Amino acid sequence: MHELNINPSAYFGLVEFFIIRPYLSVSVALLTICISGMAAFRPQRRLIFLSALLSTPFCLYEIVFIPEYWSPFQEDKFIGAADFLFSFSTGGIAWMLAAIGIKPELALSWKPLLFCRRYAGGAVLGVLFSLFLRLMGLKIMTAVLVSIVIGLLVLAWRFRRLRHFALTGGLGFAVFYFLLLKWMFSVSSGFPMQWNTAGLSGLDLWGVPVEEILWAAGFGAIWPRFMTYVFDARLKEGQ
């Protein structure tokens, strides 16, 4: 029988990486889960990838959160690799969780002009509205959460198909993200210190800032709904 030999230096090196680079560690973990999801859910692979890809540009919005909301340790002063990985992965995972129970595929309507108008228009309006709320005096995360709620109401009015994605995505991603952060907080005790307490309400759920949970619920609800709107998605006949 062969013994399993574990290199202690490699193990402690991995632990040290999680402690020193917790944000990058979370992003890498999310990317691993996203890629695993694409491999496991073959019928949804294309939509998972598209959802992840279209979510990536929103990493640029991270600039607005630093340092008011948090100051993640990374070698790049503002936007770094962790931001790109985080935005890509969360976009894919949110779709996976929202689409649970959907059989093989959704029918997409690929119309370039419609796609560009809906994606660019929705993204720009959402970002500008949240920035407007910030200028009006709201904290940045509060402004984002209000924008998400307004966006969900608009989508419910403009695009009624697949409205249950908001429920499955919101609940699923909130639970998933909470468990991930809870695990990271237990591994890296310094990770919670990267949030700016002045930008938080002070409320938490078992040590996780309530703002993070609300963001996860909001993002998980609106992003899959936004993707169904952008692609004019519908259930195929017979499903």
Side-chain angles (χ1 to χ4, degrees), residues 77-90:
K77 186 174 182 181
F78 292 110
I79 303 301
D83 299 302
F84 285 94
L85 296 178
F86 183 88
S87 294
F88 177 89
S89 304
T90 51

Side-chain angles (χ1 to χ4, degrees), residues 20-37:
I20 297 177
R21 297 285 192 278
Y23 181 36
L24 182 58
S25 300
V26 167
S27 299
V28 171
L30 287 169
L31 180 64
T32 303
I33 294 169
C34 183
I35 293 175
S36 300

Side-chain angles (χ1 to χ4, degrees), residues 174-175 177-186 192 202-211 213:
V175 172
Y177 191 69
F178 166 77
L179 293 175
L180 178 65
L181 282 188
K182 186 64 179 174
W183 172 67
M184 278 303 305
F185 285 3
S186 67
L203 301 175
D204 65 80
L205 181 63
W206 290 310
V208 178
V210 71
E211 286 85 354
I213 302 171

Side-chain angles (χ1 to χ4, degrees), residues 59-76:
C59 72
L60 300 176
Y61 199 59
E62 174 76 1
I63 295 174
V64 184
F65 284 81
I66 301 173
E68 177 186 332
Y69 182 71
W70 79 326
S71 299
F73 178 82
Q74 51 189 12
E75 294 180 2
D76 301 281

